Amino acid sequence: MTTKIDKTNGGDGVRDAAPVAKDAVTAVDPRLLVRQEGFKGYVQEFGRKLRSGELGALPVIVGIAVIWAVYQWKDDAFLSPKNLSDLSILIVGTGLISVGIVFVLLLGEIDLSVGSLSGLAAATMAVLNTRHGVPEGLAVVIALALGAALGALHGFFFAKIGVPAFVVTLAGLLAWNGLMLQVLGTTGTIQLDDDGFVQRLSSHYFSQLIAAYGAATVAVAWFFLAQFLGARRRKAAGVPSRPLSEILVRTAVLAVIAYAAAWRLNDYMGLPLALVIFVAVLLVLDFVARRTPYGRKVIALGGSVEASRRAGINVDAVRISVFALSGLMAAFGGIMIASRIGSASQQAGTGNLLMEAIAAAVIGGTSLFGGRGSVWSALLGMLVIGSIASGMSLLGVASSVQYMITGAVLLAAVVIDSVSRRTQRSAGRG
């Protein structure tokens, strides 16, 4: 029999406690032992994560590094300042659309209408501005509101009427593409003002050296503070947390990447405004997804609808809002694409835009089965897809080969996701 000291309420400090077996071992979270083992502990932890399917974004990051190394070996122009700057602008429009797809995938659903919605938003913005004299800023706001409203309409039919998301968004794909053609009329293509606000979203660069290096500094400082404060909160709560040494190593790695990117961008024309917009959106929506009750509700719905309903979550409201957000981001992406190419046309939102937006989210690590993913998946996935396209273009490879390679990468991402879920269930974590 063991005893436990109790000095409260003026007692004698001794009271009986529950019996403890002689050879009992106190359970300790294995993650708490990792740092005590040094390098060996990290290797063992990596093996545990590999077996349980918890590698996160690491496979994607390694894949990007391999793709860049291969293309740079084949053509040293791939990592040139101009090509990297062009790549950073190329990924923005589709990447913004993919961010909305991430939230839909977190629900375990799909939105097939985002391509058509992006084209409709671009057409609406262009027609209002050039034909009806609406100021560009107001035209953009109206186009964004239209995207959100039509996305909410999809969510209403899905959540309230019970129409499967696949069906209602497929109907939206067809309907909004037809409406876009109707809005554009017989002209088919509307050129944007070269000196206008929308055009400058993609053509403007912050040419001062301090801009890119300052942005890199802010990003590194924000990352360190977020990691440090998070670790301190976890330590105060008595749960596993990263030590300061690991946080410093992670920050140093990010600093190398951020300052290298700033250096290459400054060697061309500077920091693109479009890239700043994209990263700012990612930061805001990452905070929404991970740090707000709304984000936790979205992830909970992706895990189990019935459990979420019993927990008091307004399932219908969350579903409608997620599709509204998807429509909003589709409209934003469509406007950025129109800004990059300088026009809104009947081809906007068509072709492989929809597939690239969905593929980017999945390739970046968001699960097709719901409940797991990050808005940064859109950036990582678009870097993979954009790098493949850029490298193929430099090497003069046919677009048909590019599609086949992108399809193979998408299949590999889905296979990894499926295997990961299976191994997590086997490890009792799924």
Side-chain angles (χ1 to χ4, degrees), residues 232-245:
R232 191 168 67 175
R233 284 194 299 267
R234 292 176 67 85
K235 185 177 181 180
V239 296
S241 62
R242 292 190 177 96
L244 181 59
S245 59

Side-chain angles (χ1 to χ4, degrees), residues 126-141:
V127 168
L128 287 175
N129 176 241
T130 60
R131 294 182 183 172
H132 301 284
V134 177
E136 279 189 300
L138 180 58
V140 168
V141 171

Side-chain angles (χ1 to χ4, degrees), residues 188-202:
T189 300
I190 299 177
Q191 296 295 327
L192 301 181
D193 181 3
D194 291 339
D195 298 321
F197 159 72
V198 174
Q199 186 80 340
R200 289 199 302 270
L201 293 176
S202 291

Side-chain angles (χ1 to χ4, degrees), residues 76-320:
D76 57 10
F78 181 78
L79 293 181
S80 67
K82 182 181 185 305
N83 194 60
L84 289 180
S85 182
D86 291 343
L87 176 62
S88 70
I89 297 175
L90 175 68
I91 66 175
V92 171
T94 309
L96 289 170
I97 299 173
S98 184
V99 172
I101 290 291
V102 167
F103 277 83
V104 177
L105 290 179
L106 286 174
L107 288 181
E109 302 297 338
I110 195 67
D111 188 346
L112 301 179
S113 68
V114 291
S116 296
L117 268 181
S118 69
L120 175 60
T124 301
M125 177 270 300
V127 168
L128 287 175
N129 176 241
T130 60
R131 294 182 183 172
H132 301 284
V134 177
E136 279 189 300
L138 180 58
V140 168
V141 171
I142 293 174
L144 293 176
L146 176 64
L150 295 180
L153 181 63
H154 298 153
F156 173 81
F157 279 104
F158 168 55
K160 295 292 188 180
I161 309 301
V163 181
F166 178 88
V167 176
V168 69
T169 57
L170 178 61
L173 181 154
L174 300 172
W176 310 138
N177 186 62
L179 182 57
M180 176 192 70
L181 298 178
Q182 186 71 26
V183 168
L184 288 173
T186 57
T187 57
T189 300
I190 299 177
Q191 296 295 327
L192 301 181
D193 181 3
D194 291 339
D195 298 321
F197 159 72
V198 174
Q199 186 80 340
R200 289 199 302 270
L201 293 176
S202 291
S203 63
H204 182 74
Y205 293 80
F206 297 101
S207 57
Q208 301 85 353
L209 293 179
I210 190 61
Y213 288 122
T217 302
V218 170
V220 172
W222 171 83
F223 178 82
F224 173 77
L225 287 175
Q227 294 283 305
F228 178 75
L229 295 177
R232 191 168 67 175
R233 284 194 299 267
R234 292 176 67 85
K235 185 177 181 180
V239 296
S241 62
R242 292 190 177 96
L244 181 59
S245 59
E246 183 178 341
I247 294 174
L248 289 174
V249 170
R250 287 168 169 260
T251 304
V253 172
L254 176 63
V256 170
I257 296 173
Y259 285 110
W263 166 57
R264 299 305 279 172
L265 291 174
N266 276 333
D267 275 352
Y268 182 55
M269 295 178 64
L271 179 65
L273 173 60
L275 181 61
V276 174
I277 293 172
F278 188 25
V279 174
V281 170
L282 289 173
L283 288 172
V284 171
L285 292 183
D286 177 65
F287 178 83
V288 170
R290 296 193 304 112
R291 302 294 185 184
T292 66
Y294 173 76
R296 289 189 284 270
K297 289 176 183 178
V298 173
I299 295 174
L301 271 179
S304 173
V305 175
E306 188 56 34
S308 300
R309 183 176 284 112
R310 292 181 179 181
I313 295 176
N314 189 333
V315 174
D316 291 348
V318 173
R319 283 174 164 173
I320 293 173

